[in-house]
Amino acid sequence: MADGFKNAATRAAFSAAIDGVLRYVNKDEEDREKAFNKLIDLAQKFLGDTFQSKVFDSARELVKDPDSKWMRFINCALNELDPHVIKMNALNLGYQAGFYGFKKTQALKEELGCNVPWIILMDPTSACNLHCTGCWAAEYGNRLNLSYEDLDSIVTQGKELGIYFYMMTGGEPLVRKDDIIKLCKKHKDCAFHAFTNGTLIDEKFCKEAAAAGNITFSLSLEGFEEVNDGRRGNGIFDKVMDAMDLMKAHGLLFGTSICYTSANYKTVTSDEFLKMIISKGVRFTWYFHYMPVGNDASVDLLPTKEQREYMYHRIRELRTNECDLPIFAMDFQNDGEYVGGCIAGGRFYAHINPNGDVEPCVFIHYSSANIHDMSLLDCFKQPLFMEYKKNQPFNENHLRPCPMLENPEKLTEMVEKTGAHSTDLQSPETAEHLCDKCEAYANCWKDEADELWKNSEDQRKKRKSSDVLFGK
């Protein structure tokens, strides 16, 4: 009870401080800097025991220079995004999930002896309005759904554990957009994020999303029109561009979700491509390494070691002050060094598929726990998750984080030891079959990754806290 009152009081204080920043959005730079510093001071007052003082010092240095890349990035967002969207994300993702929630999940992890994730990625449905070539999400089955009651129960239970950040994929999650908006409105203290193909975004939905304020989006792209539509269908690229125009006009916060392969890795990281999506209002981009999930998945699309090393350097280049592209880029696989390796199995996140199976990762389709049979917390205590906790990190080199892609023997061992079953209802794949596809890749990447890791150790030790955030 006391924790609840303290959280409510601190949230109210942050809310007032955020209002202070927004009040100066259209005023001079000096006033805006003062407002930012008040917010930083408040953060240090309440969160000083969570982060070192140099984190807050670095933030103050950042706001001093309005002409720096990242302050221009922040100021542009403040000028163009809906103020309610800014406030709800700063409050829910920044304070509620990022500080209060994260601290609580980490404390419960120690108290309960099991992983308690910071993020839950859940699939409202397996249904999709597209039929993309090679889409592993469709492997679950054609028309599975988590009911609104299921989704509400997941969030309600999750909040009790300190989980305030909920991502959604599918299928196509916006097939269920009415239920998603309903969920956002009920759980006003949570941050929601949808990975979507973008084709179901219309004027009405944009208005509802802006009114809720606490939902952001990642739109899927494979490259420019020819490549994108070759996989997703004719006319899809133009529909995504139209959706971006609508979202930008309504001040929504959105980015892109890009699977990089041996075929498209240079295109989707090129200046030309990035300038195009930035002009459409994209603020961030997630890059996901191609995973050969599914019985029929091709290994030919796996990047070579040279291509993956290119991605490693390119994403870090995009985050430097010297690169003038105003977009924040994240690489799910190559950024393992910033999060201590694999984050799955409930360490930082877990996945709930549309059948209710609680899986370690969106790419690891094995489980022995279902939300329809047990509580969310008991699902996190399932044998497979406990093996994840016991074995993480799966490699001391965090550029080789995954128990499937870079350490395939690990996943096979854990699945066999725990008796977890394949959750693919359409075409079940054994862990041995999946991991055998990764063995040659893992062996090929090992020496390259080890050399990169060795060369970056001294640099990591020298970095400031702000450098870690921006991946310099």
Side-chain angles (χ1 to χ4, degrees):
M1 185 67 73
D3 179 64
F5 281 124
K6 182 179 179 181
N7 174 46
T10 307
R11 181 181 171 91
F14 272 96
S15 179
I18 294 165
D19 286 338
V21 172
L22 294 175
R23 196 176 301 123
Y24 291 109
V25 163
N26 296 315
K27 298 195 176 183
D28 63 40
E29 291 172 356
E30 186 177 345
D31 286 335
R32 189 179 284 193
E33 182 183 336
K34 288 178 181 177
F36 272 122
N37 278 317
K38 286 181 180 178
L39 184 58
I40 295 167
D41 290 344
L42 182 68
Q44 186 166 18
K45 176 182 176 181
F46 287 105
L47 308 167
D49 61 340
T50 305
F51 298 95
Q52 296 179 356
S53 60
K54 61 183 178 181
V55 172
F56 304 101
D57 293 339
S58 296
R60 292 185 185 95
E61 285 296 315
L62 181 68
V63 302
K64 279 183 181 179
D65 183 5
D67 295 322
S68 68
K69 171 182 176 175
W70 294 113
M71 276 312 296
R72 286 188 284 112
F73 175 84
I74 292 169
N75 284 323
C76 180
L78 285 170
N79 292 334
E80 295 180 358
L81 295 176
D82 183 296
H84 183 57
V85 170
I86 296 171
K87 179 173 180 177
M88 291 300 287
N89 279 280
L91 201 53
N92 291 353
L93 184 56
Y95 167 70
Q96 196 74 38
F99 299 129
Y100 173 76
F102 181 74
K103 193 172 182 178
K104 185 171 181 178
T105 58
Q106 295 307 293
L108 283 175
K109 175 182 176 179
E110 295 302 317
E111 178 185 332
L112 301 173
C114 67
N115 281 338
V116 179
W118 176 57
I119 301 169
I120 289 179
L121 175 61
M122 54 189 183
D123 301 348
T125 182
S126 65
C128 185
N129 59 319
L130 301 183
H131 302 283
C132 302
T133 304
C135 177
W136 56 262
E139 297 282 333
Y140 284 123
N142 200 25
R143 290 293 182 270
L144 297 173
N145 290 282
L146 295 174
S147 68
Y148 173 78
E149 290 72 25
D150 290 333
L151 297 171
D152 180 43
S153 176
I154 290 168
V155 177
T156 300
Q157 291 183 68
K159 286 161 64 173
E160 289 295 317
L161 299 172
I163 307 168
Y164 289 89
F165 192 9
Y166 296 87
M167 292 181 168
M168 291 168 282
T169 182
E172 169 49 51
L174 296 191
V175 168
R176 300 280 304 283
K177 58 187 176 182
D178 289 343
D179 281 340
I180 289 173
I181 291 295
K182 184 178 177 182
L183 198 67
C184 292
K185 288 180 177 179
K186 178 174 180 181
H187 297 282
K188 296 179 181 179
D189 54 351
C190 290
F192 295 91
H193 185 85
F195 291 90
T196 171
N197 62 43
T199 61
L200 299 178
I201 292 171
D202 54 21
E203 185 89 25
K204 176 177 179 290
F205 179 71
C206 285
K207 289 179 179 178
E208 291 174 333
N214 58 341
I215 182 168
T216 56
F217 305 89
S218 288
L219 281 69
S220 297
L221 279 178
E222 310 295 328
F224 292 108
E225 182 174 6
E226 183 179 356
V227 172
N228 190 79
D229 288 3
R231 179 169 183 252
R232 296 181 176 271
N234 291 335
I236 301 304
F237 181 84
D238 286 340
K239 287 184 178 181
V240 175
M241 296 299 104
D242 290 343
M244 287 182 175
D245 290 340
L246 265 179
M247 298 171 83
K248 184 178 181 181
H250 284 275
L252 296 178
L253 178 57
F254 64 95
T256 52
S257 171
I258 298 171
C259 175
Y260 65 89
T261 70
S262 59
N264 74 348
Y265 74 102
K266 273 203 172 178
T267 298
V268 295
T269 57
S270 67
D271 283 8
E272 181 186 6
F273 179 81
L274 291 168
K275 286 177 180 177
M276 183 271 291
I277 61 175
I278 290 168
S279 73
K280 290 289 182 177
V282 168
R283 312 285 171 183
F284 58 87
T285 180
W286 295 86
Y287 288 102
F288 293 92
H289 189 292
Y290 171 75
M291 299 288 194
V293 177
N295 281 305
D296 299 325
S298 170
V299 296
D300 294 338
L301 290 174
L302 283 167
T304 65
K305 63 180 181 180
E306 293 83 6
Q307 291 167 346
R308 179 160 173 185
E309 183 179 359
Y310 174 88
M311 288 296 298
Y312 171 88
H313 292 299
R314 177 58 172 160
I315 300 308
R316 282 155 179 76
E317 177 189 7
L318 293 174
R319 293 192 293 235
T320 62
N321 286 321
E322 290 70 34
C323 175
D324 63 356
L325 294 171
I327 189 169
F328 189 71
M330 298 162 280
D331 185 335
F332 191 74
Q333 208 68 19
N334 281 336
D335 280 343
E337 65 177 301
Y338 303 114
V339 290
C342 174
I343 63 172
R347 179 171 168 255
F348 287 150
Y349 103 108
H351 178 236
I352 303 176
N353 74 18
N355 192 51
D357 300 306
V358 180
E359 304 167 335
C361 174
V362 70
F363 301 113
I364 306 294
H365 301 166
Y366 303 95
S367 177
S368 55
N370 190 289
I371 60 162
H372 299 123
D373 303 323
M374 60 184 75
S375 70
L376 193 60
L377 178 57
D378 285 339
C379 289
F380 297 151
K381 293 179 178 179
Q382 65 169 294
L384 183 56
F385 276 47
M386 297 303 289
E387 281 299 304
Y388 260 74
K389 183 177 186 297
K390 177 182 175 182
N391 285 280
Q392 287 167 326
F394 295 105
N395 199 303
E396 293 302 323
N397 179 347
H398 298 323
L399 295 176
R400 299 167 57 203
C402 180
M404 175 189 74
L405 187 66
E406 293 103 351
N407 307 278
E409 73 285 353
K410 298 288 188 180
L411 181 63
T412 305
E413 290 171 4
M414 291 190 296
V415 170
E416 181 179 350
K417 182 175 182 178
T418 61
H421 61 85
S422 172
T423 53
D424 187 329
L425 302 182
Q426 199 131 300
S427 180
E429 180 176 29
T430 66
E432 289 82 359
H433 183 268
L434 172 62
C435 292
D436 282 350
K437 288 181 289 186
C438 300
E439 187 173 348
Y441 174 94
N443 291 333
C444 187
W445 173 240
K446 177 183 181 300
D447 290 344
E448 202 82 14
D450 287 349
E451 186 67 21
L452 284 171
W453 186 251
K454 179 182 177 183
N455 291 340
S456 67
E457 281 182 325
D458 289 340
Q459 296 177 30
R460 287 195 301 276
K461 291 175 183 177
K462 294 176 182 177
R463 287 180 192 141
K464 298 182 297 183
S465 301
S466 59
D467 293 340
V468 173
L469 175 62
F470 294 111
K472 297 180 191 173

